[in-house]
Amino acid sequence: MKGPRLPYRYDHYTWVELKDIVKNQPVVVLPVGSTEDHGHHMPLDVDSFLASSVCEAAAQIIPDQVLVLPAVPYGFEDHHMDFPGTITIHDDHMLNFILDITKSVAHHGFKKILIVNGHGSNATILETAARRTVIETDVHCGMLNWWSMAQSTLWKIGDSELQSHADEIETSVYRYLNDEAVQMDKATREIKIPESKYYWRGWVRGKGASPLRMMDHWSRISDTGVIGDATVATVEKGEQLFKAAAQGLAELIKEFRDLPIEPRVDRH
Ligand SMILES: [Zn+2]
């Protein structure tokens, strides 16, 4: 372990301590990211770094109500494999790996588990993992994408029409957390919003996500890896977006912790 023991870190306790902590029923939070291309301007660790940073910041607001697990640094990336460096975990492996984690946590008596996602293409798999955890154990398990806690702030303070990938929000937040690792001179803008009622990529200002769900090979739809506008990202926007996400997540965790688990009823 590097640095001090942190009160909200699951893996910073001894097993004897955890045996007592479970009685307080903190929400156990699992950040999940990716190792994949994020434009010419950001390193491969964006999704893992941002998801775990938002979780840790939320936990600092309510440290006695949360335990944060070590982040899963890989995700489902088959459509990104044309970009050097990307590591993909196939969907069935990913689902079972996440289920192994959530069911281990449930086995030790924790009743509330929250998966916090940093990579869009993990979302459906993580939602399935959360649902299966609920069905196959006696706990509540849910998932959310961290940026959903910052999206309304993005539309207020952001400049781009589209949120998707390695874009204004991800680049701004990364800059706020570690500006030295972002090469803004290499940041690009790639926005092609089709004239369509039913299909576009990412979240479009005023429209949200498209009704038709489809993910193409990333190399067909992006030259640099960016979809969105990374050139307008700033440290100041990143601070506001990050703080909105952490505050929103802390509130959500509190509410999720208090949500009662009702008894099942066999109505045959
Ligand atoms: Zn990303």
Side-chain angles (χ1 to χ4, degrees), residues 34 36-38 42 45-48 50 118-120 146-147 164-167 170:
S34 77
E36 70 170 4
D37 59 283
H38 273 81
M42 284 197 292
D45 74 344
V46 174
D47 295 341
S48 310
L50 301 193
H119 168 60
W146 75 260
W147 58 86
S164 178
H165 179 79
D167 52 3
E170 284 194 320

Short mmCIF file of all heavy atoms in Angstrom, two decimals, residues 34 36-38 42 45-48 50 118-120 146-147 164-167 170, ligand 1:
data_model
loop_
_atom_site.label_atom_id
_atom_site.label_comp_id
_atom_site.label_asym_id
_atom_site.label_seq_id
_atom_site.Cartn_x
_atom_site.Cartn_y
_atom_site.Cartn_z
N SER A 34 -11.20 1.53 -18.38
CA SER A 34 -10.73 0.89 -19.62
C SER A 34 -9.27 1.25 -19.81
O SER A 34 -8.75 2.15 -19.14
CB SER A 34 -11.53 1.40 -20.83
OG SER A 34 -11.08 2.70 -21.20
N GLU A 36 -7.63 2.27 -23.18
CA GLU A 36 -7.93 2.45 -24.60
C GLU A 36 -7.53 3.84 -25.08
O GLU A 36 -7.34 4.78 -24.30
CB GLU A 36 -9.43 2.24 -24.87
CG GLU A 36 -10.29 3.34 -24.29
CD GLU A 36 -11.75 3.31 -24.73
OE1 GLU A 36 -12.15 2.38 -25.44
OE2 GLU A 36 -12.47 4.23 -24.35
N ASP A 37 -7.44 3.96 -26.43
CA ASP A 37 -7.12 5.23 -27.10
C ASP A 37 -8.04 6.34 -26.63
O ASP A 37 -9.26 6.17 -26.55
CB ASP A 37 -7.27 5.04 -28.61
CG ASP A 37 -8.69 4.62 -28.99
OD1 ASP A 37 -9.03 3.44 -28.81
OD2 ASP A 37 -9.47 5.50 -29.41
N HIS A 38 -7.44 7.49 -26.32
CA HIS A 38 -8.22 8.70 -26.01
C HIS A 38 -7.62 9.89 -26.75
O HIS A 38 -7.18 10.86 -26.14
CB HIS A 38 -8.27 8.95 -24.50
CG HIS A 38 -9.39 8.21 -23.81
ND1 HIS A 38 -9.30 6.89 -23.48
CD2 HIS A 38 -10.63 8.60 -23.43
CE1 HIS A 38 -10.43 6.50 -22.91
NE2 HIS A 38 -11.26 7.52 -22.87
N MET A 42 -4.36 12.40 -24.91
CA MET A 42 -4.47 11.85 -23.55
C MET A 42 -3.99 10.41 -23.49
O MET A 42 -4.08 9.67 -24.48
CB MET A 42 -5.92 11.95 -23.06
CG MET A 42 -6.32 13.35 -22.64
SD MET A 42 -7.81 13.40 -21.63
CE MET A 42 -9.05 12.89 -22.83
N ASP A 45 -5.25 5.71 -19.91
CA ASP A 45 -5.89 5.39 -18.61
C ASP A 45 -7.08 6.30 -18.25
O ASP A 45 -7.57 6.25 -17.12
CB ASP A 45 -4.85 5.45 -17.48
CG ASP A 45 -4.45 6.89 -17.12
OD1 ASP A 45 -4.73 7.82 -17.91
OD2 ASP A 45 -3.86 7.07 -16.05
N VAL A 46 -7.55 7.10 -19.21
CA VAL A 46 -8.56 8.13 -18.90
C VAL A 46 -9.76 7.57 -18.12
O VAL A 46 -10.12 8.07 -17.05
CB VAL A 46 -9.07 8.82 -20.19
CG1 VAL A 46 -10.22 9.77 -19.89
CG2 VAL A 46 -7.93 9.56 -20.88
N ASP A 47 -10.38 6.52 -18.65
CA ASP A 47 -11.64 6.06 -18.07
C ASP A 47 -11.45 5.52 -16.65
O ASP A 47 -12.30 5.75 -15.77
CB ASP A 47 -12.28 4.99 -18.96
CG ASP A 47 -12.69 5.57 -20.30
OD1 ASP A 47 -12.82 6.79 -20.41
OD2 ASP A 47 -12.88 4.78 -21.24
N SER A 48 -10.35 4.81 -16.42
CA SER A 48 -10.10 4.26 -15.08
C SER A 48 -9.75 5.38 -14.11
O SER A 48 -10.24 5.42 -12.98
CB SER A 48 -8.92 3.27 -15.13
OG SER A 48 -9.12 2.34 -16.15
N LEU A 50 -10.49 8.64 -14.29
CA LEU A 50 -11.61 9.54 -13.98
C LEU A 50 -12.65 8.85 -13.11
O LEU A 50 -13.12 9.43 -12.12
CB LEU A 50 -12.25 10.09 -15.26
CG LEU A 50 -11.35 10.88 -16.22
CD1 LEU A 50 -12.19 11.61 -17.26
CD2 LEU A 50 -10.44 11.85 -15.51
N GLY A 118 -16.67 4.16 -16.10
CA GLY A 118 -15.98 5.25 -16.77
C GLY A 118 -15.89 5.07 -18.28
O GLY A 118 -15.32 5.91 -18.96
N HIS A 119 -16.44 3.98 -18.82
CA HIS A 119 -16.26 3.67 -20.25
C HIS A 119 -17.60 3.25 -20.84
O HIS A 119 -18.18 2.23 -20.45
CB HIS A 119 -15.22 2.55 -20.38
CG HIS A 119 -15.15 1.94 -21.74
ND1 HIS A 119 -14.85 2.67 -22.86
CD2 HIS A 119 -15.35 0.66 -22.17
CE1 HIS A 119 -14.86 1.87 -23.92
NE2 HIS A 119 -15.17 0.66 -23.52
N GLY A 120 -18.09 4.03 -21.80
CA GLY A 120 -19.43 3.85 -22.35
C GLY A 120 -19.78 2.41 -22.70
O GLY A 120 -20.87 1.94 -22.39
N TRP A 146 -20.29 7.67 -14.47
CA TRP A 146 -19.97 8.83 -13.62
C TRP A 146 -20.40 10.15 -14.25
O TRP A 146 -20.83 11.08 -13.57
CB TRP A 146 -18.48 8.85 -13.22
CG TRP A 146 -17.53 9.28 -14.32
CD1 TRP A 146 -16.77 8.47 -15.10
CD2 TRP A 146 -17.24 10.63 -14.76
NE1 TRP A 146 -16.05 9.21 -16.01
CE2 TRP A 146 -16.32 10.53 -15.82
CE3 TRP A 146 -17.68 11.89 -14.37
CZ2 TRP A 146 -15.82 11.66 -16.49
CZ3 TRP A 146 -17.20 13.02 -15.04
CH2 TRP A 146 -16.28 12.88 -16.08
N TRP A 147 -20.30 10.22 -15.61
CA TRP A 147 -20.58 11.50 -16.27
C TRP A 147 -22.06 11.85 -16.21
O TRP A 147 -22.41 13.02 -16.41
CB TRP A 147 -20.07 11.49 -17.71
CG TRP A 147 -20.66 10.41 -18.56
CD1 TRP A 147 -21.83 10.45 -19.25
CD2 TRP A 147 -20.11 9.10 -18.80
NE1 TRP A 147 -22.04 9.25 -19.90
CE2 TRP A 147 -21.01 8.41 -19.65
CE3 TRP A 147 -18.94 8.44 -18.39
CZ2 TRP A 147 -20.78 7.10 -20.08
CZ3 TRP A 147 -18.71 7.15 -18.81
CH2 TRP A 147 -19.63 6.49 -19.65
N SER A 164 -19.03 12.56 -26.14
CA SER A 164 -18.86 11.14 -26.48
C SER A 164 -17.59 10.57 -25.88
O SER A 164 -17.62 9.81 -24.94
CB SER A 164 -18.88 10.93 -28.00
OG SER A 164 -18.68 9.58 -28.30
N HIS A 165 -16.42 11.00 -26.44
CA HIS A 165 -15.22 10.25 -26.08
C HIS A 165 -13.97 11.10 -26.28
O HIS A 165 -13.79 11.68 -27.36
CB HIS A 165 -15.14 9.00 -26.98
CG HIS A 165 -13.94 8.15 -26.72
ND1 HIS A 165 -13.85 7.28 -25.66
CD2 HIS A 165 -12.76 8.06 -27.36
CE1 HIS A 165 -12.68 6.68 -25.68
NE2 HIS A 165 -11.99 7.13 -26.70
N ALA A 166 -13.11 11.14 -25.25
CA ALA A 166 -11.88 11.93 -25.30
C ALA A 166 -12.19 13.37 -25.67
O ALA A 166 -11.43 14.03 -26.39
CB ALA A 166 -10.87 11.30 -26.27
N ASP A 167 -13.34 13.83 -25.21
CA ASP A 167 -13.96 15.06 -25.67
C ASP A 167 -13.79 16.19 -24.65
O ASP A 167 -12.87 16.18 -23.83
CB ASP A 167 -15.44 14.77 -25.94
CG ASP A 167 -16.10 14.10 -24.72
OD1 ASP A 167 -15.41 13.93 -23.69
OD2 ASP A 167 -17.28 13.74 -24.80
N GLU A 170 -14.23 14.78 -20.78
CA GLU A 170 -13.14 13.91 -20.32
C GLU A 170 -11.81 14.68 -20.27
O GLU A 170 -11.03 14.54 -19.33
CB GLU A 170 -12.99 12.68 -21.22
CG GLU A 170 -14.07 11.64 -20.99
CD GLU A 170 -13.76 10.29 -21.62
OE1 GLU A 170 -13.24 10.25 -22.76
OE2 GLU A 170 -14.04 9.27 -20.98
ZN ZN B 1 -13.13 7.68 -22.04
#
